[in-house]
Amino acid sequence: MSLEQLNAYCTSKLAELKERGAHRGVEKVIAQITLPDWVRNGRLPTPAEDENFGPRYLLASDEKAYLLMNSNSYLGLALHPKVIAAEEEGVKHFGTGPGAVRFISGTYQPHVELEKRLAAFHGRASAMIYSAAYATVMGVLPALIDEHTLVVSDQLNHNSIINAIRLSHSAKKEIYPHLDMAELERILSTYSSGRNAAGEPEIKRVLVITDGIFSMRGDYAPLDKIVAICRKYEQNFAEGIITVADDSHGVGAFGQTGRGTEEYTRSQVDILIATMGKALGVNGGYIVASAPVIDYLRQVSPFYVYSNPITPSEALAATGSVEILESKEGLARLARLRELTARFENGLTELGFETIPGEHPVTPLVVRDTQQTALLIEYLFQNGILATGLNYPVVPKGDEEIRFQINANHTIGDIDYLLSVLKNFLAHSRSRP
């Protein structure tokens, strides 16, 4: 069968993406990582080592060493020798893949042990792992939303949440402006007394869904306020109000012990979704909730039932990451992450750049101009720094930014070098006619 027509369609759509500035460009291919001894040995740097550089990344396209400022591996655990050793040991014992979905023959002891560990870590009765956090969101939300459900979502929620809601057959969908708690309350109040033509309640269940940390900005949802508002109105709905948070960027990177936005806001939602592919440095996503909810999802969630899980070796590696996170070393890495983030944010402010302050290691440099964002990204690349520019339509016009992400394997030398490059960019920009 000829692909000529489809090729023409795809080519035209690619041209449209480029025209709109939505084309993501060619992916950079990492060919090698060079590690200082302290990273290779699984420790934090000494004061003297902190003045030098951390890991450097070599691309397949050239031989230059780059500072990676756009990784989600916030604690640096993807390069930790204990995590690597756990995965290697898992491969030796269980092979490279599970070989089947969970309910056939793909459930291994490391999967079960990891789920127990994650449930305990978050203070929940039960947990369930998926192949990715995106798959978790897509597998969970449609299973909990039906034709009598009102879904209420933050305006800046992640793409996975947006698409999961689109796949769901909800009665109604409402979106409140980012972090606007007054509008959230207004929505719940409005629907509390809503009835259909037969006089029956139009909405039986409400599902309020939010990111914990918003990945483009590094700010957080006030889960304590969200939970309080939902409790205020839950008695008005026959099946109550379910609060759900996807804290993929928060777990392992936010809160004193790395338990994310729930810990930071001193609250707990009904259902928490997170990932092992960011701060834990491995792969996969998961949900923690009550035992009946997890038991139900194991039976009906297609992204669980019909998709292979992470490998047993990945499960062992993720368990190793959680063990590190819960140890003194984990607390030290979290403290270091906060210190490096504060150093960078303060440096940006001193240089006159706009940012969104906060403890989370996602630190945006708000440019508010597409052309300037592109120029700065290219300047950083020329100076050996890999960073991510976010332009319209990924972000609204006027909100263009560069998203920097700090991790515990960065050094003070890395942060100061990045700030010096940004300072030089300002000088070059001012000297241009």
Side-chain angles (χ1 to χ4, degrees):
M1 183 179 291
S2 173
L3 282 175
E4 289 183 5
Q5 291 177 317
L6 181 59
N7 287 341
Y9 171 83
C10 292
T11 300
S12 68
K13 288 299 181 181
L14 286 169
E16 287 179 18
L17 289 172
K18 291 178 180 178
E19 180 70 22
R20 292 192 291 116
H23 194 282
R24 290 172 175 80
V26 179
E27 297 170 358
K28 294 178 173 63
V29 179
I30 295 171
Q32 186 178 342
I33 309 174
T34 59
L35 303 178
D37 288 340
W38 55 272
V39 173
R40 191 176 290 107
N41 293 328
R43 59 179 177 82
L44 297 178
T46 65
E49 291 168 328
D50 220 2
E51 295 178 4
N52 297 319
F53 292 156
R56 285 297 183 269
Y57 293 75
L58 280 67
L59 301 183
S61 57
D62 61 51
E63 296 181 356
K64 186 189 295 184
Y66 290 88
L67 169 60
L68 192 67
M69 293 302 305
N70 53 5
S71 169
N72 297 321
S73 185
Y74 299 116
L75 295 179
L77 296 181
L79 299 173
H80 198 290
K82 291 182 181 178
V83 178
I84 295 171
E87 183 152 359
E88 289 177 343
E89 193 66 18
V91 170
K92 291 177 184 177
H93 282 84
F94 299 105
T96 58
V101 297
R102 291 283 295 269
F103 78 93
I104 295 178
S105 62
T107 296
Y108 286 71
Q109 192 64 36
H111 295 134
V112 176
E113 294 302 322
L114 174 59
E115 287 172 337
K116 290 179 180 177
R117 189 78 188 233
L118 290 169
F121 179 75
H122 290 289
R124 300 310 210 281
S126 192
M128 182 168 125
I129 57 176
Y130 284 78
S131 59
Y134 203 111
T136 309
V137 175
M138 297 292 284
V140 168
L141 295 191
L144 300 177
I145 296 169
D146 62 21
E147 66 275 11
H148 300 293
T149 303
L150 164 67
V151 181
V152 187
S153 177
D154 188 285
Q155 181 184 20
L156 295 188
N157 275 341
H158 189 265
N159 176 270
S160 60
I161 295 174
I162 295 169
N163 281 335
I165 293 172
R166 285 173 178 165
L167 282 177
S168 304
H169 300 287
S170 62
K172 299 284 185 179
K173 178 180 71 175
E174 295 285 351
I175 299 173
Y176 58 89
H178 184 49
L179 304 183
D180 190 335
M181 296 297 97
E183 181 60 14
L184 169 62
E185 181 159 10
R186 187 200 68 78
I187 291 169
L188 296 180
S189 176
T190 299
Y191 281 91
S192 289
S193 58
R195 293 181 176 274
N196 61 21
E200 301 168 335
E202 187 174 18
I203 302 297
K204 294 182 179 179
R205 178 190 308 159
V206 180
L207 188 144
V208 176
I209 175 74
T210 181
D211 279 351
I213 294 292
F214 293 88
S215 60
M216 300 299 178
R217 300 164 51 88
D219 55 352
Y220 66 93
L223 297 183
D224 52 339
K225 296 178 182 178
I226 291 174
V227 169
I229 291 170
C230 290
R231 285 177 177 168
K232 180 178 177 181
Y233 292 95
E234 64 183 354
Q235 72 276 5
N236 296 326
F237 302 94
E239 297 176 6
I241 300 177
I242 305 166
T243 52
V244 184
D246 178 354
D247 205 21
S248 291
H249 283 271
V251 174
F254 201 48
Q256 289 297 308
T257 67
R259 284 170 169 80
T261 308
E262 285 190 328
E263 178 180 20
Y264 193 85
T265 60
R266 298 181 180 179
S267 61
Q268 190 175 89
V269 293
D270 297 313
I271 296 173
L272 180 70
I273 293 169
T275 185
M276 294 167 287
K278 294 180 171 51
L280 297 184
V282 189
N283 191 27
Y286 64 92
I287 170 179
V288 293
S290 64
V293 168
I294 298 300
D295 291 344
Y296 167 71
L297 290 171
R298 287 193 197 278
Q299 300 300 316
V300 304
S301 177
F303 285 79
Y304 177 89
V305 175
Y306 300 108
S307 182
N308 278 13
I310 61 174
T311 67
S313 57
E314 287 173 322
L316 284 168
T319 300
S321 291
V322 177
E323 289 174 356
I324 293 172
L325 179 56
E326 290 193 283
S327 69
K328 290 182 180 180
E329 179 186 348
L331 294 176
R333 285 179 176 266
L334 286 162
R336 176 174 176 79
L337 195 56
R338 290 190 290 270
E339 291 167 4
L340 291 173
T341 299
R343 186 182 188 92
F344 182 53
E345 287 184 355
N346 291 337
L348 287 179
T349 301
E350 289 173 6
L351 290 174
F353 286 108
E354 180 183 354
T355 187
I356 301 173
E359 288 188 17
H360 192 272
V362 165
T363 305
L365 190 163
V366 185
V367 183
R368 301 196 184 283
D369 180 87
T370 295
Q371 184 178 9
Q372 278 294 105
T373 301
L375 286 172
L376 181 46
I377 284 292
E378 180 59 26
Y379 187 84
L380 290 167
F381 184 73
Q382 291 172 358
N383 285 272
I385 299 169
L386 299 176
T388 301
L390 302 172
N391 286 320
Y392 175 83
V394 177
V395 294
K397 286 184 178 179
D399 286 347
E400 294 88 348
E401 67 174 60
I402 295 174
R403 181 178 68 173
F404 293 104
Q405 291 162 279
I406 310 300
N407 75 63
N409 281 344
H410 286 142
T411 64
I412 289 175
D414 290 331
I415 300 301
D416 290 350
Y417 173 70
L418 172 56
L419 290 170
S420 71
V421 171
L422 292 171
K423 181 178 181 180
N424 290 339
F425 176 80
L426 288 176
H428 285 296
S429 298
R430 290 164 183 157
S431 64
R432 280 198 212 99

